[in-house]
Amino acid sequence: MNIVDGHLHFFAQEAGDYHWLKPQNPPYWQDKQAIALACGERSLTLSSGHTLAGYVHIEAGFDNQRPWREIRYLEQRAQLPFKSVASIDLCSESTLSHIEILAGFFSVAGLRHILDEQAASILTHPKTKHALKRCSEYGLSFDAQLDVGDSKGVNALLRLLEARPTLQVIINHTGAALLSSAVTAAYVKQWRINMKALAQCSRVAVKLSGWEMQCRDWHWRSAQNVVVETVAIFGVSRVMLASNFPLSNWRHSYQTLWQQYEKMLANFTLDAKCSLMANNTARWYGVDI
């Protein structure tokens, strides 16, 4: 079965900055050094039953002041079909000029500003609406990494989608912390309400990945429940399975992760499996497979 991984990162510390990977800088994860290693296409090992047909590289902090440096590095080395999502600061004075530069690279399909707990303030910032307008004019999507349980952030995103009728948004990492031991029934209820609100817009898709960000020791049955519910809300055509490699290595090897994903989809049709594991990612990001 072909796989198109919609969310992974390569690290090249000898060439980039990666401020967040340095032990003296946040996030202060005790296991951060386990992933702070050089990695690239050759690190993506799969079993004989799976073939990596392509991937989407998500900005990894190579150089957030000059995000095109990471894109240039990737394009010079890629062997497989791929697209990239570049770093952007939506609120910067240089945002529009950066978007213009990034749009000139063949691999750039989208942009990402990690929103997290600042989602509402960033998405309502005066510069953001102009940045996302320019983004959509260049045909670039926006990778929104936010907590979908945060209604203020979700409502701000919905208002931007209404104001920008050609903008495509892809929610990162399920938009949730559903596997966390601290999750409450009230949180899950609000996540479900907000996911349904986002699903009303046909220009929104969801990537299911980053389980280890929620819980290092996550269990595949818990993730499977999230996959089934997300597909029920968005439909098969707007959901993508992805790895978040190399952070996924905290729990599973790359090969084991995709084997587990296929097991999760045991009750899905073959067409649905192909859509969730490859074809949707290729279509939403324009990966030529």
Side-chain angles (χ1 to χ4, degrees), residues 44 58 79 83 95 102 140 153 171 176 231 241 252 262 269 286:
L44 306 175
I58 310 300
Q79 299 297 313
K83 289 294 182 178
T95 303
L102 291 165
L140 304 177
I171 305 297
V231 171
L241 288 170
H252 291 300
E262 190 164 12
T269 66

Side-chain angles (χ1 to χ4, degrees), residues 1 14 85 91 126 153 191 250 265:
M1 177 174 288
E14 79 285 354
V85 172
C91 309
W191 172 86
W250 277 322
L265 303 179

Side-chain angles (χ1 to χ4, degrees), residues 100-173:
E100 184 175 359
I101 294 170
L102 291 165
F105 287 86
F106 78 83
S107 73
V108 175
L111 305 172
R112 180 172 81 155
H113 183 145
I114 297 177
L115 304 169
D116 287 347
E117 68 278 359
Q118 296 179 303
S121 61
I122 293 169
L123 293 174
T124 55
H125 192 283
K127 293 186 182 301
T128 295
K129 62 180 180 179
H130 300 298
L132 292 181
K133 179 175 185 291
R134 185 66 56 86
C135 179
S136 61
E137 288 171 347
Y138 278 113
L140 304 177
S141 59
F142 178 63
D143 263 45
Q145 184 163 317
L146 80 166
D147 182 349
V148 174
D150 171 15
S151 294
K152 289 184 178 179
V154 170
N155 289 336
L157 182 57
L158 289 169
R159 288 192 294 270
L160 282 170
L161 282 160
E162 185 176 359
R164 300 287 172 254
T166 61
L167 178 67
Q168 289 194 334
V169 170
I170 300 171
I171 305 297
N172 286 191
H173 300 330

